[in-house]
Amino acid sequence: MSGPSEMPGASPVLQREVVVRQRGPAAPMRWVADWADVQEPVLLPLFHTILDRLAPPPGTRHLDIGCGTGLLLRIAAECGLHVAGTDPAEALLDLARARLPSARLEAGPAERLPFADRSFDLVTMLHAADDDADSGPALAEARRVAAPGGAILFAVRKLPAGIVSAIAPASHRTTPATGGPQGARTSRLETLRALAAEAKLVIAGAFDVDCRWHYPDEQTALRGLGASRGAMRAAEAIGWNAVDAAHREALLPFRHDDGSYRIATVTRCLIARR
């Protein structure tokens, strides 16, 4: 199922914003560019593995909840799927629409999807674990829009504990939803299983994806780690300088002699059916 896909780039306006790297009012624009240029491309192995494992045939109706700038959807479209997406960040969707001008891409929360019942054969939500409060309603909505027998894939990431804890208090997390010790990920995984059961979803399978986040230098690593909603929340509380300082310290164990950084991550993907 893997198909050719260019490494995505931001528009010239976004690229200039990154060079200036302003704080304050320009911070949301910085986050969009950093996600599109740095962090989303490191997820390419995850995206290709998901499509390889699920092997949806051409013509499959695919919804990606939390689609960001649409890289997963673009790969799916290259494989012949009919794609649609939602994301709460309109700025991310602007880039997604440029990539996928014919796709239906809607801004809004995962708990209130603007699609009819039973509209999709495949629903992906790779950020289901990002917020405990939203996971239950989001899974229920995913079930509503999934066709009978359709697949719903959601995921839990495991990052090194130091990367997660660097900004966890300032990002208002009550649990280390995307990383921490193995026990923390297991706890979060069981929570998602329970929420899926409440949403009347049946877990049909699971698989792990090893994904190594590679950054050529410290500046790129800071851009990548800062391109998350958790980092945005932390920056609102303590400022971008403090977020970068926390990430800079957390990155030290992952620095190689050539100045690059490599962070090993594992994503557990669960496949549910309605």
Side-chain angles (χ1 to χ4, degrees), residues 62-68 72-73 84-88 108-111 113 115 123-128 138-139 141-143 145 152-153:
H62 175 201
L63 171 67
D64 188 25
I65 301 172
C67 67
L72 172 59
L73 289 178
T86 66
D87 199 277
E111 310 91 333
L113 298 176
F115 299 101
V123 179
T124 50
M125 42 192 309
L126 302 184
H127 306 288
L139 288 170
E141 274 290 88
R143 181 186 185 279
V145 301
I152 300 168
L153 183 143

Side-chain angles (χ1 to χ4, degrees), residues 3 20 41 46 58 63 88 109 113 116 123 131-132 172 178 189 193 201-202 219 225 241 260 263-264 273:
V20 175
L46 173 63
L63 171 67
L113 298 176
V123 179
D131 194 327
D132 287 341
H172 314 301
T178 57
L189 188 61
R193 286 182 181 273
L201 292 170
V202 178
Q219 184 76 355
L225 295 182
N241 288 337
S260 67
I263 301 173
R273 299 192 184 274

Side-chain angles (χ1 to χ4, degrees), residues 81-119:
L81 278 60
H82 300 312
V83 301
T86 66
D87 199 277
E90 187 71 51
L92 291 178
L93 287 176
D94 285 342
L95 282 179
R97 292 178 182 122
R99 288 174 169 169
L100 298 158
S102 62
R104 182 179 173 185
L105 302 170
E106 302 280 355
E111 310 91 333
R112 294 190 301 277
L113 298 176
F115 299 101
D117 296 358
R118 305 182 176 189
S119 297

Side-chain angles (χ1 to χ4, degrees), residues 20-111:
V20 175
R21 204 166 163 78
Q22 294 175 340
R23 298 298 194 255
M29 186 66 76
R30 167 215 162 162
W31 175 72
V32 171
D34 289 353
W35 175 260
D37 285 348
V38 178
Q39 194 59 24
E40 195 176 33
V42 305
L43 301 178
L44 275 170
L46 173 63
F47 296 161
H48 283 300
T49 300
I50 286 172
L51 292 174
D52 286 344
R53 293 293 295 265
L54 294 177
T60 295
R61 299 168 298 172
H62 175 201
L63 171 67
D64 188 25
I65 301 172
C67 67
T69 59
L71 183 55
L72 172 59
L73 289 178
R74 190 175 73 176
I75 298 169
E78 290 171 354
C79 296
L81 278 60
H82 300 312
V83 301
T86 66
D87 199 277
E90 187 71 51
L92 291 178
L93 287 176
D94 285 342
L95 282 179
R97 292 178 182 122
R99 288 174 169 169
L100 298 158
S102 62
R104 182 179 173 185
L105 302 170
E106 302 280 355
E111 310 91 333

